[in-house]
Amino acid sequence: MPIDVSAAVIANRPLSADYNVLALAAPAIATATAPGQFVMVKAGRGHDPLLRRPFSVFEVLRDASGAPTGISILSKRIGASTSLIYDAQPGDELACLGPLGRPFAIVEPPAEAWMIAGGVGLAPFATLAEALHARGVRTTLFYGARRAEELFYLDFFRRLNVELVLTTEDGSAGERGRIVAPLDRRLADRPASAPVTIYACGPEGMLAAAAQTAAKHGRPCQVSVERIMGCGLGGCYSCVIPMRGDDGRFHHVRSCIAGPVLMGDEIKWD
Ligand SMILES: Cc1cc2nc3c(=O)[nH]c(=O)nc-3n(C[C@H](O)[C@H](O)[C@H](O)COP(=O)(O)OP(=O)(O)OC[C@H]3O[C@@H](n4cnc5c(N)ncnc54)[C@H](O)[C@@H]3O)c2cc1C
Ligand code: FES
């Protein structure tokens, strides 16, 4: 069952002019969260914005004994709520409902995990990388951003022995271009007998390209989709996405409860 709390802001760490990490005191949500799940956050007190907004759980925060104390969210400022989240102050209280949605299915060795992140699509991969590390799964992060200054938390992933493959659109770090290009090359070089599972999160065009590239090489691909979500609980149908059903036909499913993690080869990409 999701938990609804009034979560105090513990810290707000700006990463750039648009990105920040907001730490929230929410021990019960932190304890229940699995990698890939999300929370619905109401950023303001009044009626504007009226609705909560969905955010992946970025980190599970722990005290010195390892007990969960809260969560953080990695937010990119694009509108009303994310602007309020960017400006939030320690001590502010935000309504926070979660954990919600279906998490990633986590592989075991000898399978390798290749995480594909575009921009703020990095958010679900910090907790996933920790879970993979705990299982001893060899993990690679393919991470694309517009420019070098928008590649965040690289040392966090390095500390978990995650191999980094970086791209930027302006060529200021890593390879110039889109992140699916090195994914395609590496999959082509990979023997079919070596199991790899792809995990992807980012803009929908990137998700479609990652899913299609994985399918081309016969690899399973779990994607975390980011449709607009009004409730996060299955009640409003704002988040539907066409998926192939057992009958081979496409049906609209509510990505907040069937997902956000879905199999990429079952989605009908536009
Ligand atoms: C499951 C899930 C997890 C998410 N995790 C994160 C996260 O970890 N960090 C993060 O920064 N964002 C995340 N998002 C996206 C985030 O919810 C939106 O950026 C946020 O709702 C925008 O709210 P706003 O009030 O600032 O913008 P609004 O004023 O509501 O919208 C500004 C503009 O952005 C568009 N927009 C709004 N929501 C989305 C969306 N989901 N996808 C594409 N365009 C959108 C609107 O149509 C509008 O044009 C996630 C979305 C989903 C569904
Ligand atoms: S967000 Fe309301 S049904 Fe999915």
Side-chain angles (χ1 to χ4, degrees):
M1 275 294 286
I3 305 150
D4 198 6
V5 298
S6 178
V9 173
I10 304 167
N12 184 358
R13 181 179 167 209
L15 300 179
S16 72
D18 293 320
Y19 284 81
N20 70 307
V21 174
L22 194 70
L24 297 169
I29 294 176
T31 302
T33 294
Q37 289 189 294
F38 66 99
V39 288
M40 293 294 290
V41 173
K42 184 153 175 17
R45 282 175 177 272
H47 297 306
D48 183 25
L50 181 64
L51 299 177
R52 298 179 189 223
R53 301 288 196 270
F55 293 88
S56 299
V57 173
F58 180 47
E59 297 159 296
V60 170
L61 310 173
R62 297 177 189 278
D63 64 16
S65 71
T69 56
I71 60 166
S72 74
I73 56 176
L74 169 67
S75 175
K76 181 183 180 187
R77 177 159 58 165
I78 63 162
S81 299
T82 46
S83 294
L84 288 165
I85 285 170
Y86 191 85
D87 294 332
Q89 298 293 318
D92 289 352
E93 299 264 337
L94 275 64
C96 181
L97 172 73
L100 297 165
R102 287 197 181 182
F104 292 115
I106 302 172
V107 294
E108 297 276 0
E112 279 190 37
W114 291 8
M115 305 183 297
I116 323 299
V120 77
L122 182 72
F125 291 139
T127 55
L128 179 62
E130 286 177 331
L132 291 163
H133 181 69
R135 291 183 184 204
V137 176
R138 213 170 142 194
T139 302
T140 303
L141 172 65
F142 295 74
Y143 181 16
R146 285 180 299 184
R147 57 185 81 91
E149 297 75 36
E150 294 189 355
L151 290 166
F152 306 116
Y153 273 66
L154 301 184
D155 285 338
F156 171 93
F157 289 97
R158 286 189 186 110
R159 280 197 294 275
L160 294 171
N161 296 328
V162 174
E163 183 190 350
L164 299 179
V165 178
L166 306 175
T167 63
T168 49
E169 288 175 22
D170 67 359
S172 52
E175 179 180 322
R176 180 192 294 270
R178 301 285 169 90
I179 197 61
V180 175
L183 171 69
D184 191 21
R185 283 200 311 272
R186 289 220 178 186
L187 284 173
D189 290 345
R190 186 95 188 161
S193 56
V196 176
T197 287
I198 314 288
Y199 299 90
C201 185
E204 208 154 296
M206 187 214 87
L207 290 187
Q212 286 154 1
T213 302
K216 182 174 94 179
H217 296 283
R219 305 296 188 171
C221 179
Q222 302 178 33
V223 297
S224 179
V225 298
E226 293 194 356
R227 292 273 153 143
I228 289 177
M229 292 187 179
C231 71
L233 293 165
C236 72
Y237 287 74
S238 65
C239 64
V240 294
I241 188 163
M243 299 268 306
R244 197 177 54 245
D246 294 338
D247 58 2
R249 297 166 64 172
F250 286 100
H251 305 270
H252 282 90
V253 304
R254 288 164 287 177
S255 61
C256 64
I257 51 174
V261 177
L262 298 164
M263 291 309 295
D265 61 350
E266 294 174 5
I267 294 174
K268 183 180 183 196
W269 301 102
D270 289 331

